[in-house]
Amino acid sequence: MGECGAAGHGIVSRIVITGASGQYGRLATDKLIARGRAADLILITRTPEKLADRAAQGCAVRYGDFDKPETLADAVAGAETMLLISGTRVGARVVQHKAAIDAAAANGVRHIVYTSFVNVDAANPAIVTIDHRETEALIKASGMAWTMLRDAHYADAMILNAGPGFIASGIWQTSTAGGREAMVWREDCVDCAVAVLTTPGHANMAYAITGPNRETFGEVVAMMNAILGSAIRLVETDDAGMYAMFDAMGIPREPVDDQSVGGIPWNSDDMVSFERAIREGHLDMCTDDVARLTGRKARSVQDLIEAHAAMLKSHVPG
Protein backbone atom coordinates (compact mmCIF):
# COMPACT_ATOMS: atom_id res chain seq x y z
CA MET A 1 0.00 0.00 0.00
CA GLY A 2 1.31 3.41 -0.91
CA GLU A 3 4.11 2.18 -3.17
CA CYS A 4 4.16 4.15 -6.39
CA GLY A 5 7.00 2.51 -8.29
CA ALA A 6 5.27 -0.42 -10.01
CA ALA A 7 5.19 -0.51 -13.78
CA GLY A 8 1.81 0.08 -15.35
CA HIS A 9 -0.07 1.66 -18.22
CA GLY A 10 0.99 5.05 -19.43
CA ILE A 11 -1.32 8.00 -19.81
CA VAL A 12 -4.56 6.74 -21.29
CA SER A 13 -6.31 8.12 -24.34
CA ARG A 14 -9.98 7.89 -23.31
CA ILE A 15 -11.41 7.71 -19.81
CA VAL A 16 -14.98 6.68 -19.03
CA ILE A 17 -16.39 7.98 -15.74
CA THR A 18 -19.43 6.37 -14.12
CA GLY A 19 -21.77 8.43 -11.96
CA ALA A 20 -20.40 11.52 -13.65
CA SER A 21 -23.22 13.78 -12.44
CA GLY A 22 -22.49 13.11 -8.76
CA GLN A 23 -20.27 15.23 -6.51
CA TYR A 24 -17.14 13.12 -6.95
CA GLY A 25 -17.71 12.69 -10.69
CA ARG A 26 -18.28 16.39 -11.30
CA LEU A 27 -15.16 17.38 -9.41
CA ALA A 28 -13.04 14.77 -11.20
CA THR A 29 -14.40 15.94 -14.54
CA ASP A 30 -13.64 19.58 -13.69
CA LYS A 31 -10.05 18.70 -12.88
CA LEU A 32 -9.54 16.56 -15.99
CA ILE A 33 -11.02 19.28 -18.22
CA ALA A 34 -8.65 21.76 -16.58
CA ARG A 35 -5.82 19.50 -17.74
CA GLY A 36 -7.08 19.70 -21.31
CA ARG A 37 -8.66 16.27 -21.35
CA ALA A 38 -12.30 17.16 -22.19
CA ALA A 39 -12.24 15.43 -25.57
CA ASP A 40 -10.89 12.26 -23.91
CA LEU A 41 -13.76 11.96 -21.42
CA ILE A 42 -16.82 9.73 -21.73
CA LEU A 43 -19.30 10.58 -19.00
CA ILE A 44 -21.94 8.02 -18.04
CA THR A 45 -25.10 9.07 -16.22
CA ARG A 46 -28.72 8.00 -15.78
CA THR A 47 -29.69 11.62 -16.39
CA PRO A 48 -27.75 13.00 -19.40
CA GLU A 49 -29.64 16.29 -19.20
CA LYS A 50 -27.75 17.00 -15.96
CA LEU A 51 -24.53 16.98 -17.96
CA ALA A 52 -25.52 19.25 -20.83
CA ASP A 53 -22.81 21.63 -19.65
CA ARG A 54 -20.23 18.87 -20.08
CA ALA A 55 -21.27 18.18 -23.63
CA ALA A 56 -20.82 21.89 -24.31
CA GLN A 57 -17.31 21.63 -22.87
CA GLY A 58 -16.42 18.88 -25.33
CA CYS A 59 -17.01 15.71 -23.30
CA ALA A 60 -18.97 12.75 -24.64
CA VAL A 61 -22.08 12.34 -22.47
CA ARG A 62 -23.78 8.96 -22.65
CA TYR A 63 -26.79 7.38 -21.01
CA GLY A 64 -25.97 4.39 -18.86
CA ASP A 65 -27.70 2.81 -15.87
CA PHE A 66 -26.08 0.35 -13.46
CA ASP A 67 -29.54 -1.21 -13.02
CA LYS A 68 -29.90 -1.74 -16.79
CA PRO A 69 -26.75 -3.65 -17.81
CA GLU A 70 -27.84 -3.65 -21.46
CA THR A 71 -27.22 0.12 -21.55
CA LEU A 72 -23.58 -0.11 -20.51
CA ALA A 73 -21.85 -1.72 -23.51
CA ASP A 74 -22.51 1.25 -25.77
CA ALA A 75 -21.81 3.63 -22.92
CA VAL A 76 -18.25 2.40 -22.33
CA ALA A 77 -17.30 1.82 -25.98
CA GLY A 78 -14.01 3.41 -26.97
CA ALA A 79 -12.60 3.87 -23.47
CA GLU A 80 -9.36 2.33 -22.27
CA THR A 81 -9.71 3.26 -18.60
CA MET A 82 -12.78 3.39 -16.37
CA LEU A 83 -13.11 5.50 -13.26
CA LEU A 84 -15.69 3.39 -11.46
CA ILE A 85 -17.20 5.66 -8.82
CA SER A 86 -19.00 3.49 -6.31
CA GLY A 87 -22.78 3.80 -6.29
CA THR A 88 -24.77 5.34 -3.45
CA ARG A 89 -27.02 2.40 -2.58
CA VAL A 90 -25.01 0.95 0.32
CA GLY A 91 -25.66 -2.76 0.70
CA ALA A 92 -26.94 -3.16 -2.86
CA ARG A 93 -24.05 -1.99 -4.99
CA VAL A 94 -22.28 -5.23 -5.91
CA VAL A 95 -24.77 -6.17 -8.65
CA GLN A 96 -24.57 -2.64 -10.02
CA HIS A 97 -20.78 -2.58 -10.00
CA LYS A 98 -20.62 -6.03 -11.58
CA ALA A 99 -22.67 -4.76 -14.51
CA ALA A 100 -20.16 -1.96 -15.09
CA ILE A 101 -17.14 -4.27 -14.66
CA ASP A 102 -18.57 -6.84 -17.06
CA ALA A 103 -19.35 -4.17 -19.66
CA ALA A 104 -15.85 -2.75 -19.34
CA ALA A 105 -14.15 -6.14 -19.67
CA ALA A 106 -16.24 -7.08 -22.72
CA ASN A 107 -15.79 -3.79 -24.55
CA GLY A 108 -12.10 -3.00 -24.60
CA VAL A 109 -11.48 -1.27 -21.28
CA ARG A 110 -8.04 -2.26 -20.01
CA HIS A 111 -7.83 -0.61 -16.58
CA ILE A 112 -10.39 0.09 -13.84
CA VAL A 113 -9.73 2.74 -11.20
CA TYR A 114 -12.20 2.13 -8.37
CA THR A 115 -13.24 4.36 -5.47
CA SER A 116 -13.14 1.86 -2.64
CA PHE A 117 -12.94 2.28 1.13
CA VAL A 118 -10.12 2.24 3.62
CA ASN A 119 -9.63 -1.19 5.27
CA VAL A 120 -11.99 -3.53 3.43
CA ASP A 121 -10.88 -6.42 5.66
CA ALA A 122 -13.68 -8.88 6.48
CA ALA A 123 -13.32 -8.08 10.19
CA ASN A 124 -14.43 -4.48 9.59
CA PRO A 125 -18.10 -4.27 10.69
CA ALA A 126 -18.95 -1.21 8.56
CA ILE A 127 -21.44 -2.53 6.01
CA VAL A 128 -19.88 -0.35 3.31
CA THR A 129 -16.90 -2.69 3.35
CA ILE A 130 -18.99 -5.62 2.07
CA ASP A 131 -19.80 -3.87 -1.20
CA HIS A 132 -16.26 -2.61 -1.64
CA ARG A 133 -14.58 -5.91 -0.77
CA GLU A 134 -16.76 -7.86 -3.19
CA THR A 135 -16.36 -5.23 -5.92
CA GLU A 136 -12.58 -5.30 -5.55
CA ALA A 137 -12.66 -9.09 -5.93
CA LEU A 138 -14.74 -8.82 -9.11
CA ILE A 139 -12.36 -6.25 -10.58
CA LYS A 140 -9.30 -8.37 -9.78
CA ALA A 141 -10.97 -11.42 -11.36
CA SER A 142 -11.89 -9.51 -14.53
CA GLY A 143 -8.47 -9.72 -16.18
CA MET A 144 -8.20 -5.95 -16.45
CA ALA A 145 -5.52 -3.92 -14.69
CA TRP A 146 -6.83 -2.22 -11.58
CA THR A 147 -6.13 0.54 -9.09
CA MET A 148 -7.99 0.64 -5.77
CA LEU A 149 -8.40 4.09 -4.25
CA ARG A 150 -9.38 3.18 -0.69
CA ASP A 151 -10.80 6.45 0.55
CA ALA A 152 -11.17 7.13 4.27
CA HIS A 153 -14.29 8.71 5.81
CA TYR A 154 -15.00 12.00 4.05
CA ALA A 155 -14.46 14.93 6.41
CA ASP A 156 -16.99 16.77 4.21
CA ALA A 157 -19.71 14.34 5.34
CA MET A 158 -19.25 15.05 9.04
CA ILE A 159 -18.29 18.72 8.91
CA LEU A 160 -20.28 20.13 5.98
CA ASN A 161 -23.27 17.75 5.76
CA ALA A 162 -23.88 16.80 9.39
CA GLY A 163 -22.01 19.70 11.00
CA PRO A 164 -24.71 22.38 10.67
CA GLY A 165 -27.14 20.14 12.56
CA PHE A 166 -24.61 19.53 15.33
CA ILE A 167 -23.94 23.26 15.60
CA ALA A 168 -27.61 24.26 15.67
CA SER A 169 -28.62 21.62 18.23
CA GLY A 170 -25.47 21.86 20.32
CA ILE A 171 -25.20 18.05 20.37
CA TRP A 172 -23.01 15.61 18.44
CA GLN A 173 -24.28 12.18 19.40
CA THR A 174 -21.95 9.28 18.75
CA SER A 175 -21.25 5.66 19.66
CA THR A 176 -17.57 5.81 18.65
CA ALA A 177 -16.34 5.75 22.29
CA GLY A 178 -13.15 7.66 21.56
CA GLY A 179 -12.18 5.72 18.46
CA ARG A 180 -9.86 7.49 16.04
CA GLU A 181 -9.88 7.95 12.28
CA ALA A 182 -8.07 10.14 9.76
CA MET A 183 -10.93 11.82 7.91
CA VAL A 184 -10.06 13.05 4.43
CA TRP A 185 -11.27 15.83 2.15
CA ARG A 186 -13.33 14.52 -0.78
CA GLU A 187 -11.34 16.83 -3.04
CA ASP A 188 -8.09 15.22 -1.90
CA CYS A 189 -9.56 11.84 -2.87
CA VAL A 190 -10.50 13.23 -6.29
CA ASP A 191 -7.03 14.71 -6.75
CA CYS A 192 -5.57 11.25 -6.11
CA ALA A 193 -7.91 9.74 -8.71
CA VAL A 194 -6.90 12.36 -11.28
CA ALA A 195 -3.23 11.65 -10.58
CA VAL A 196 -3.77 7.93 -11.14
CA LEU A 197 -5.72 8.59 -14.34
CA THR A 198 -3.10 10.89 -15.83
CA THR A 199 0.24 9.40 -14.79
CA PRO A 200 1.78 5.95 -15.30
CA GLY A 201 2.76 3.46 -12.65
CA HIS A 202 -0.47 2.62 -10.85
CA ALA A 203 -1.58 -0.69 -12.38
CA ASN A 204 -2.52 -3.31 -9.79
CA MET A 205 -1.88 -0.93 -6.90
CA ALA A 206 -4.00 -0.09 -3.86
CA TYR A 207 -3.77 3.23 -2.04
CA ALA A 208 -5.22 4.20 1.34
CA ILE A 209 -6.35 7.80 0.90
CA THR A 210 -6.53 9.33 4.38
CA GLY A 211 -6.26 12.68 6.05
CA PRO A 212 -3.06 13.69 7.87
CA ASN A 213 -4.26 13.24 11.48
CA ARG A 214 -5.89 10.46 13.51
CA GLU A 215 -8.58 12.18 15.56
CA THR A 216 -11.52 11.36 17.83
CA PHE A 217 -14.89 13.01 17.33
CA GLY A 218 -14.29 14.70 20.70
CA GLU A 219 -11.19 16.37 19.29
CA VAL A 220 -13.11 17.43 16.19
CA VAL A 221 -15.87 18.95 18.37
CA ALA A 222 -13.25 20.90 20.33
CA MET A 223 -11.80 22.20 17.05
CA MET A 224 -15.21 23.29 15.79
CA ASN A 225 -16.07 25.06 19.03
CA ALA A 226 -12.73 26.89 19.09
CA ILE A 227 -12.89 28.01 15.47
CA LEU A 228 -16.61 28.74 15.17
CA GLY A 229 -17.55 29.89 18.65
CA SER A 230 -20.11 27.10 18.79
CA ALA A 231 -21.06 25.15 21.91
CA ILE A 232 -21.36 21.57 20.66
CA ARG A 233 -21.34 18.83 23.30
CA LEU A 234 -20.25 15.30 22.40
CA VAL A 235 -22.84 12.88 23.75
CA GLU A 236 -21.84 9.23 23.93
CA THR A 237 -24.47 6.56 23.38
CA ASP A 238 -24.66 3.00 22.05
CA ASP A 239 -25.82 1.53 18.74
CA ALA A 240 -29.45 1.42 19.90
CA GLY A 241 -29.24 5.08 20.84
CA MET A 242 -27.87 5.95 17.41
CA TYR A 243 -30.70 4.08 15.67
CA ALA A 244 -33.25 5.88 17.85
CA MET A 245 -31.77 9.25 16.92
CA PHE A 246 -31.78 8.49 13.18
CA ASP A 247 -35.31 7.04 13.37
CA ALA A 248 -36.50 10.27 15.02
CA MET A 249 -34.90 12.27 12.20
CA GLY A 250 -36.77 10.22 9.60
CA ILE A 251 -33.62 8.71 8.13
CA PRO A 252 -34.33 5.29 6.61
CA ARG A 253 -32.52 2.23 7.96
CA GLU A 254 -31.91 0.94 4.46
CA PRO A 255 -30.74 3.10 1.52
CA VAL A 256 -33.17 5.02 -0.67
CA ASP A 257 -31.89 6.42 -3.98
CA ASP A 258 -31.58 10.20 -4.19
CA GLN A 259 -33.04 10.75 -0.71
CA SER A 260 -31.55 13.27 1.68
CA VAL A 261 -32.94 14.07 5.12
CA GLY A 262 -31.72 17.27 6.74
CA GLY A 263 -28.76 17.36 4.39
CA ILE A 264 -27.80 13.78 5.26
CA PRO A 265 -27.99 11.46 2.22
CA TRP A 266 -27.27 8.21 4.08
CA ASN A 267 -29.15 5.40 5.81
CA SER A 268 -28.85 4.43 9.45
CA ASP A 269 -27.67 0.83 8.96
CA ASP A 270 -24.70 2.34 7.16
CA MET A 271 -24.01 5.03 9.74
CA VAL A 272 -24.43 2.90 12.86
CA SER A 273 -22.11 0.19 11.53
CA PHE A 274 -19.67 2.94 10.55
CA GLU A 275 -19.61 4.25 14.12
CA ARG A 276 -18.96 0.72 15.38
CA ALA A 277 -16.03 0.40 12.97
CA ILE A 278 -14.52 3.60 14.37
CA ARG A 279 -15.18 2.44 17.95
CA GLU A 280 -13.44 -0.88 17.34
CA GLY A 281 -10.38 0.70 15.70
CA HIS A 282 -10.91 -0.50 12.13
CA LEU A 283 -10.50 3.02 10.68
CA ASP A 284 -7.58 4.00 12.92
CA MET A 285 -4.99 4.37 10.19
CA CYS A 286 -3.11 7.20 8.53
CA THR A 287 -0.96 7.17 5.39
CA ASP A 288 0.93 9.64 3.23
CA ASP A 289 -0.59 8.32 -0.01
CA VAL A 290 -2.19 11.69 -0.81
CA ALA A 291 1.29 13.21 -0.86
CA ARG A 292 2.73 10.27 -2.81
CA LEU A 293 0.10 10.66 -5.51
CA THR A 294 -0.40 14.43 -5.66
CA GLY A 295 2.90 15.85 -4.47
CA ARG A 296 1.29 17.76 -1.59
CA LYS A 297 0.14 16.89 1.91
CA ALA A 298 -3.43 15.90 2.61
CA ARG A 299 -5.49 18.71 4.09
CA SER A 300 -6.78 18.39 7.63
CA VAL A 301 -10.18 18.48 9.30
CA GLN A 302 -9.16 21.79 10.86
CA ASP A 303 -8.36 23.13 7.39
CA LEU A 304 -11.88 22.15 6.26
CA ILE A 305 -13.56 23.83 9.22
CA GLU A 306 -11.56 27.00 8.62
CA ALA A 307 -12.25 26.96 4.88
CA HIS A 308 -16.01 26.82 5.49
CA ALA A 309 -16.13 28.84 8.72
CA ALA A 310 -18.53 31.47 7.39
CA MET A 311 -21.14 28.88 6.36
CA LEU A 312 -20.72 26.91 9.56
CA LYS A 313 -20.89 30.00 11.79
CA SER A 314 -24.24 30.88 10.23
CA HIS A 315 -25.69 27.87 12.08
CA VAL A 316 -24.45 28.93 15.51
CA PRO A 317 -27.56 29.77 17.62
CA GLY A 318 -28.12 33.37 18.66
Side-chain angles (χ1 to χ4, degrees):
M1 180 171 60
E3 297 297 322
C4 296
H9 294 297
I11 297 173
V12 300
S13 58
R14 298 204 80 187
I15 301 165
V16 61
I17 301 176
T18 71
S21 59
Q23 285 182 288
Y24 191 114
R26 278 200 164 273
L27 193 50
T29 303
D30 283 339
K31 291 175 180 289
L32 288 163
I33 290 173
R35 292 179 178 231
R37 301 297 299 274
D40 301 328
L41 301 181
I42 300 168
L43 308 180
I44 298 179
T45 176
R46 290 180 301 168
T47 51
E49 61 274 13
K50 289 185 178 180
L51 294 180
D53 58 327
R54 299 307 195 190
Q57 289 173 296
C59 304
V61 175
R62 298 178 183 172
Y63 171 74
D65 188 337
F66 280 165
D67 294 323
K68 297 176 181 176
E70 67 278 5
T71 67
L72 298 176
D74 288 343
V76 305
E80 294 181 2
T81 296
M82 171 182 282
L83 175 59
L84 177 56
I85 299 172
S86 57
T88 58
R89 205 180 304 160
V90 175
R93 293 180 287 190
V94 177
V95 172
Q96 295 180 323
H97 294 167
K98 185 178 187 302
I101 295 162
D102 289 348
N107 291 279
V109 174
R110 297 187 302 173
H111 188 165
I112 289 189
V113 178
Y114 175 58
T115 62
S116 189
F117 182 67
V118 68
N119 187 7
V120 292
D121 187 84
N124 189 337
I127 63 172
V128 295
T129 63
I130 300 169
D131 291 346
H132 291 302
R133 187 166 58 248
E134 293 186 13
T135 298
E136 285 196 10
L138 289 169
I139 292 170
K140 289 178 179 179
S142 72
M144 290 177 285
W146 49 266
T147 306
M148 307 306 180
L149 296 172
R150 293 174 176 159
D151 297 337
H153 194 185
Y154 287 160
D156 312 51
M158 300 310 297
I159 304 303
L160 305 184
N161 291 103
F166 299 148
I167 295 165
S169 69
I171 293 173
W172 181 327
Q173 185 166 302
T174 182
S175 59
T176 52
R180 293 182 178 275
E181 62 171 349
M183 289 192 286
V184 66
W185 286 40
R186 178 190 283 110
E187 187 175 8
D188 282 356
C189 296
V190 173
D191 283 341
C192 288
V194 170
V196 166
L197 291 166
T198 56
T199 63
H202 308 290
N204 303 336
M205 303 292 292
Y207 300 101
I209 312 300
T210 77
N213 304 311
R214 299 164 45 254
E215 293 158 334
T216 67
F217 282 170
E219 290 167 342
V220 174
V221 165
M223 259 185 265
M224 293 177 73
N225 287 340
I227 295 166
L228 305 174
S230 51
I232 307 166
R233 288 187 303 115
L234 193 75
V235 176
E236 288 284 354
T237 185
D238 56 13
D239 288 352
M242 293 301 292
Y243 272 120
M245 179 188 75
F246 291 130
D247 288 348
M249 293 171 66
I251 292 173
R253 294 207 172 192
E254 296 183 350
V256 178
D257 279 351
D258 302 319
Q259 177 169 304
S260 179
V261 177
I264 299 176
W266 317 304
N267 62 289
S268 58
D269 283 346
D270 178 17
M271 290 186 283
V272 173
S273 69
F274 211 110
E275 298 247 334
R276 178 186 166 195
I278 298 170
R279 181 173 72 236
E280 295 181 358
H282 297 281
L283 308 189
D284 189 357
M285 60 191 301
C286 187
T287 78
D288 63 353
D289 283 358
V290 170
R292 289 173 180 266
L293 289 168
T294 69
R296 62 163 178 80
K297 276 192 65 175
R299 290 168 288 186
S300 68
V301 171
Q302 180 170 327
D303 292 335
L304 189 70
I305 297 167
E306 291 173 345
H308 295 271
M311 180 277 285
L312 294 168
K313 283 180 179 178
S314 71
H315 296 276
V316 175

